[in-house]
Amino acid sequence: MVGVCMERSVEMLIALVGVLKAGAAYVPLDPAYPPERIQYVLKDAKIKILVTNRAQSSSISVDTAEVVCLDPELTVLKGLSESAPECRMHPKGLAYVIYTSGSTGKPKGVQIEHRSLVNLLFSMRREPGLSASDVLLAVTTISFDMSVLEMFLPLLVGAQVVIAPREATFDGVLLAELLKQSQATVMQATPVTWRVLFESGWEGNPNLQVQAGGEALSPGLAKELVARCGSVWNMYGPTETTVYSIIYRVTGDESRNVPIGRPIDNTAVYILDANREEVLPGAEGELFIGGDGLARGYLGRPDLTAERFLPDPFSTQPGARMYLTGDLARLRPDGNVEYLGRNDQQVKIRGFRIEPGEIETAIDQYPDVTKSVVTAFEKEPGNTFLVAYVVSNGHPPMAADLRWHLASRLPDYMVPSAFVYLDQLPLTPNGKVDRKTLPAPAQADFVNASVYVAPRDPVEKKLAALWEEVLDLRPIGVSTSFFDLGGRSLLAARLFVKIRRTFGTDLPLAFLFEAPTIEQLAKHLRAPAEVEHSTLVPIQPAGSKIPIFCVHGGAGGTMFMFQLARRLDPDQPFYGLEPEGMDGRQMHRKTVPEIAAHYASEIRRIQPSGPYRIGGYCFGGIVAFEMARQLRRQGETVDMLALFSSALRCHRLCATPTETGASPAPSLSRLKGFLQSPHRAIGWRIKALANCATATLRKCVTRVLLASGRRVPPAWRTVTIAETLTRAEMTYRPEPYPGTLLLFSGRSLFSEDQYLGWQGLAKELKTFEIEDQPGNLRRDILNEPLVGLVASQLTQCLEAADLRGIEPLT
């Protein structure tokens, strides 16, 4: 077994195929998982080889495994043979082991053999169907078994697989744009993802085959998908039966439950009663699955394997088994199976299978906790959240501390949304926890809220309904801050899409900092006035200390900076800087020096003279660097310049082929590929030209809109801003800075340069490596759980600057 821990990329897929070609089985490890969970899987699976890259390897402590770093440049492959290794695979050989949540408190590894994987792929190729002309957009993490179909089925049939970057899998606007750019004809995703797409303004695609799996598909969403897209399929199957076992072609006429359908090839489905006898059609029973899709069992868990994988009394094949799913179902008159829920406490959140016992074990390990119970509340199909009920020894821990404790041990989807503190748990007469009588969580269980104030007029009521839908909380008072309720960038974007549709008002996202409550937003919506977009965003304006001004990243937004600001001293003012164009209007400053000069003039409105404290995230670090240079030339003092995950990529990306060591374009290889498969080569070229044409059309329309004084549509703003900022970055040529540069990073974006390209450009360069980060560097360093570590390091730098007074950092 070979561990694979890589971010979503072509190299990740190369690693998976390479492991299989070598005759090994892969064990997927999501880089976003906490280090403790990754370490558990490495140890439990006895991983001897870990395939990753240097960016990930720096955050993973590996003592017993050989680490193979597959860098983006694929330098590890240079000089190796291009021939496939000689390997004889057996149908019962292991293909992969995926870890799922375990009821005993530890995740368990599900062993899938090649025969099961092959059966799935060949069945899915036939129905729902995939051909060489298709483009499949892959959005699932490799630690979730839905990814198996995305990664290998396109390769099997000669189709194209487009691997969505991590940020696009969570952002409906980015995902909708990627669907359009890639001209995808197939995408599988959970119902939650499809719902996010619609909420972000996606209008559908009549040429798109939709596959919905991982959790129940509601009739309302099913009807909307059928109306807006091509074929729609509801897919069902536990990890133990190789991704999918039952599928159903959705018609849109389903009024109650959407069926999960009929079994795929070489698969048997049984609905049995308590005596393990088949029930009559229409009667409820427990769902069992047999056939070629069954897993070998749980890795190193023969007791649990024997408990869930039982002899199949209905099969004529010797040694046949069937899997006890724990799901309740019934057979409809039309022969389709209908899913009716669980027969135990297992739940699904965003398609991920969760055993509450694993979360309860982690909570019970926290000091002062004597007992806990975790359950799921479902307000409507697909709208489910976790609630933890906690009994303490008289000193109940803070919910924020419990969340931090769990986030360091469990994936984010396993961290409860609410914590309810009880004196004791309700029990049934036989002494078991009576889950049916557990109280519903109140607003205070999600946040230490102020006194609840109910909506008082139609505007506040509409806003409250939107907030409750987006935040998954009820009720929400009009005086509670969006950020205190757990609001973050993606949720804020979804909220403002809904506000735009409901009220017809186009508000900049940063306006939420000025009006973070329903009450404040309602005042503006009752008497709407033109909101002037300011590049200076007051994230935390109160305080007596010297303000911090932090520049946006390459997408332009500043909403994510709130988490850093709230972890600094309450007396520390914090402002964000956003680019022009966030409101859809013209961007007048389009080079780094122009942008920096504009931002410098903006911060002077708040702080007319130095000392200045400036920061920048990603692309914003380059602008912050230039701002510091310009302010120093003007005679001002800059006593802190902090860059967060900011790589100076312009030299690297603008370098000539000779400078980077790149080889000439492989014309002979392209010609060889064309001669071997001209139809496919022509098809891909046509798709590439179509993508280019679509982008060109968008740019032309954008130019016409701006020239006529109209705004760029919200769905185009991010990509338009990103393109402009990318051009600015590529043309920027930095000059030395006569001060100190503070560089905060978790891992190097370029593995060979721990200084991210800044070495030699400042009088002094101080680096701060944020260790034990579980996720992607550029996204996670200012997000949970790393943002607390960054804030702690930054606070020490601020205190040092305070001690120096107004003397510059030199």
Side-chain angles (χ1 to χ4, degrees):
M1 286 178 285
V2 176
V4 177
C5 183
M6 302 183 72
E7 281 293 349
R8 302 178 55 77
S9 61
V10 172
E11 291 75 34
M12 177 190 73
L13 180 52
I14 289 173
L16 298 182
V17 175
V19 171
L20 294 180
K21 279 197 170 190
Y26 73 88
V27 181
L29 296 162
D30 192 328
Y33 281 177
E36 184 172 311
R37 191 177 184 87
I38 292 178
Q39 289 299 326
Y40 173 83
V41 174
L42 289 173
K43 182 178 180 180
D44 186 70
K46 297 180 175 60
I47 299 296
K48 299 301 182 185
I49 299 176
L50 175 65
V51 180
T52 180
N53 52 36
R54 288 192 176 90
Q56 266 72 51
S57 65
S58 62
S59 66
I60 302 175
S61 176
V62 182
D63 298 327
T64 59
E66 176 188 353
V67 177
V68 177
C69 287
L70 192 64
D71 298 314
E73 299 86 357
L74 298 180
T75 54
V76 71
L77 303 183
K78 290 181 178 178
L80 298 181
S81 172
E82 296 181 2
S83 301
E86 294 184 7
C87 176
R88 294 183 179 180
M89 291 308 307
H90 192 278
K92 292 188 177 182
L94 273 186
Y96 62 86
V97 177
I98 281 186
Y99 275 75
T100 65
S101 181
S103 58
T104 60
K106 294 294 184 181
K108 54 186 183 291
V110 181
Q111 304 175 93
I112 300 298
E113 299 172 341
H114 279 278
R115 65 188 183 96
S116 300
L117 175 56
V118 169
N119 185 72
L120 169 78
L121 297 178
F122 274 76
S123 183
M124 293 293 104
R125 181 176 70 171
R126 182 181 61 81
E127 189 180 50
L130 196 75
S131 66
S133 61
D134 280 310
V135 176
L136 188 149
L137 179 58
V139 300
T140 310
T141 170
I142 59 170
S143 61
F144 189 11
D145 68 340
M146 285 173 60
S147 65
V148 172
L149 190 68
E150 294 177 335
M151 296 293 103
F152 301 124
L153 184 56
L155 303 185
L156 178 73
V157 303
Q160 180 182 355
V161 56
V162 177
I163 302 176
R166 183 183 291 271
E167 53 265 33
T169 65
F170 297 107
D171 189 325
V173 174
L174 294 178
L175 186 55
E177 184 68 24
L178 187 55
L179 273 168
K180 182 184 298 183
Q181 289 180 354
S182 65
Q183 294 189 318
T185 60
V186 181
M187 189 177 97
Q188 69 157 358
T190 63
V192 168
T193 300
W194 292 114
R195 193 176 294 109
V196 167
L197 268 171
F198 284 137
E199 291 173 354
S200 301
W202 184 60
E203 297 179 353
N205 180 356
N207 298 318
L208 182 68
Q209 179 194 112
V210 169
Q211 298 176 5
E215 58 189 357
L217 176 64
S218 68
L221 179 59
K223 186 174 183 179
E224 193 169 9
L225 285 167
V226 170
R228 298 193 187 191
C229 303
S231 62
V232 178
W233 296 81
N234 193 21
M235 323 277 279
Y236 166 89
T239 302
E240 288 83 348
T241 63
T242 315
V243 191
Y244 295 129
S245 302
I246 309 173
I247 62 174
Y248 172 76
R249 174 76 180 266
V250 181
T251 65
D253 297 327
E254 296 80 9
S255 58
R256 192 176 61 174
N257 288 345
V258 179
I260 55 177
R262 301 170 185 268
I264 67 171
D265 296 342
N266 303 309
T267 300
V269 171
Y270 314 112
I271 301 176
L272 309 180
D273 60 18
N275 296 320
R276 304 285 163 83
E277 295 180 355
E278 290 190 281
V279 301
L280 296 174
E284 178 181 303
E286 195 162 12
L287 184 62
F288 291 74
I289 299 176
D292 290 351
L294 263 65
R296 177 185 296 179
Y298 299 110
L299 180 64
R301 304 287 296 277
D303 54 339
L304 187 57
T305 299
E307 178 184 325
R308 304 296 292 194
F309 294 86
L310 309 173
D312 186 349
F314 307 99
S315 175
T316 59
Q317 294 185 1
R321 301 172 303 151
M322 61 181 184
Y323 173 69
L324 170 60
T325 67
D327 290 330
L328 299 175
R330 71 182 182 94
L331 187 64
R332 290 162 44 122
D334 60 4
N336 286 301
V337 177
E338 182 179 346
Y339 172 78
L340 300 176
R342 289 293 300 176
N343 195 32
D344 56 20
Q345 305 305 325
Q346 187 186 103
V347 297
K348 281 201 170 184
I349 301 292
R350 298 186 344 234
F352 291 97
R353 191 172 77 188
I354 297 173
E355 293 284 0
E358 185 175 351
I359 308 173
E360 293 164 1
T361 299
I363 295 176
D364 292 346
Q365 293 171 351
Y366 194 82
D368 298 326
V369 173
T370 59
K371 181 64 176 176
S372 66
V373 169
V374 175
T375 187
F377 273 81
E378 185 177 46
K379 291 186 285 190
E380 59 186 37
N383 191 3
T384 304
F385 57 89
L386 292 172
V387 179
Y389 296 86
V390 181
V391 177
S392 69
N393 59 7
H395 301 86
M398 295 291 291
D401 294 335
L402 268 179
R403 284 193 178 96
W404 177 265
H405 168 77
L406 295 178
S408 66
R409 291 161 172 79
L410 303 172
D412 62 346
Y413 61 83
M414 294 181 70
V415 179
S417 300
F419 291 85
V420 181
Y421 296 96
L422 302 175
D423 293 332
Q424 59 184 13
L425 297 171
L427 302 177
T428 62
N430 61 5
K432 295 183 178 180
V433 176
D434 189 355
R435 295 175 181 267
K436 294 181 180 179
T437 61
L438 289 169
Q443 182 189 26
D445 298 323
F446 293 90
V447 63
N448 295 325
S450 56
V451 177
Y452 172 73
V453 179
R456 296 158 294 197
D457 64 17
V459 174
E460 289 184 349
K461 289 178 180 178
K462 288 181 181 178
L463 277 176
L466 297 181
W467 283 45
E468 290 169 358
E469 181 181 353
V470 168
L471 292 170
D472 246 355
L473 306 178
R474 182 175 286 114
I476 294 178
V478 300
S479 60
T480 304
S481 168
F482 175 83
F483 301 104
D484 287 340
L485 292 167
R488 55 188 188 275
S489 301
L490 175 58
L491 294 177
R494 292 177 61 185
L495 176 63
F496 272 52
V497 166
K498 291 179 178 294
I499 290 175
R500 186 183 304 117
R501 290 180 178 176
T502 303
F503 295 95
T505 303
D506 187 4
L507 296 173
L509 199 58
F511 186 68
L512 198 56
F513 286 121
E514 298 180 34
T517 69
I518 292 174
E519 185 177 38
Q520 293 167 319
L521 266 178
K523 287 181 181 179
H524 176 79
L525 294 173
R526 288 191 200 98
E530 185 71 17
V531 177
E532 287 296 328
H533 174 256
S534 172
T535 55
L536 193 63
V537 180
I539 297 175
Q540 167 53 41
S544 61
K545 292 179 176 289
I546 299 172
I548 297 175
F549 300 94
C550 194
V551 185
H552 57 85
T558 56
M559 188 65 61
F560 66 94
M561 295 180 187
F562 175 79
Q563 296 192 67
L564 176 61
R566 74 184 302 180
R567 282 165 176 77
L568 298 175
D569 191 315
D571 197 36
Q572 175 63 67
F574 193 103
Y575 292 83
L577 287 160
E578 287 190 349
E580 302 169 297
M582 292 293 287
D583 57 353
R585 290 192 170 94
Q586 184 72 259
M587 294 182 69
H588 299 287
R589 289 92 175 175
K590 299 182 179 180
T591 68
V592 169
E594 291 174 348
I595 297 170
H598 174 58
Y599 290 172
S601 66
E602 286 287 283
I603 69 175
R604 284 179 181 275
R605 293 197 292 111
I606 303 297
Q607 184 185 349
S609 60
Y612 289 103
R613 296 178 177 178
I614 303 171
Y617 169 74
C618 193
F619 164 82
I622 299 173
V623 177
F625 178 85
E626 178 62 23
M627 288 173 64
R629 289 189 64 259
Q630 292 184 14
L631 288 168
R632 290 287 293 259
R633 284 204 311 267
Q634 295 165 13
E636 295 289 353
T637 299
V638 178
D639 74 354
M640 191 188 78
L641 173 59
L643 276 53
F644 306 100
S645 300
S646 180
L648 188 63
R649 297 176 293 182
C650 48
H651 289 317
R652 178 188 181 92
L653 297 179
C654 289
T656 64
T658 302
E659 292 170 326
T660 62
S663 58
S667 304
L668 293 177
S669 298
R670 288 202 298 268
L671 178 60
K672 181 180 178 181
F674 175 81
L675 295 175
Q676 290 177 340
S677 183
H679 295 294
R680 185 184 306 175
I682 292 173
W684 286 355
R685 184 58 180 166
I686 291 174
K687 290 173 184 176
L689 292 173
N691 290 341
C692 182
T694 301
T696 301
L697 178 61
R698 172 180 54 78
K699 294 176 183 178
C700 291
V701 172
T702 297
R703 284 196 293 268
V704 171
L705 290 173
L706 293 175
S708 61
R710 301 175 66 183
R711 298 191 187 193
V712 177
W716 290 359
R717 291 176 190 174
T718 299
V719 66
T720 301
I721 290 170
E723 289 172 347
T724 302
L725 297 182
T726 298
R727 287 193 296 270
E729 179 179 2
M730 294 303 100
T731 57
Y732 178 59
R733 293 295 180 267
E735 297 179 6
Y737 171 66
T740 297
L741 189 156
L742 309 178
L743 182 61
F744 293 81
S745 66
R747 313 177 202 124
S748 175
L749 297 179
F750 305 122
S751 56
E752 72 274 11
D753 183 8
Q754 62 174 311
Y755 301 108
L756 309 186
W758 291 104
Q759 192 169 28
L761 286 171
K763 183 177 181 180
E764 182 179 6
L765 178 60
K766 295 183 179 180
T767 60
F768 299 86
E769 185 173 353
I770 309 303
E771 298 179 352
D772 293 330
Q773 68 277 24
N776 174 277
L777 167 68
R778 297 204 302 149
R779 283 289 169 189
D780 288 353
I781 193 171
L782 294 187
N783 277 316
E784 295 282 9
L786 299 184
V787 65
L789 301 176
V790 175
S792 177
Q793 296 274 20
L794 183 60
T795 297
Q796 295 179 30
C797 297
L798 292 169
E799 291 172 349
D802 290 337
L803 292 174
R804 283 190 300 270
I806 62 171
E807 291 301 317
L809 264 172
T810 56

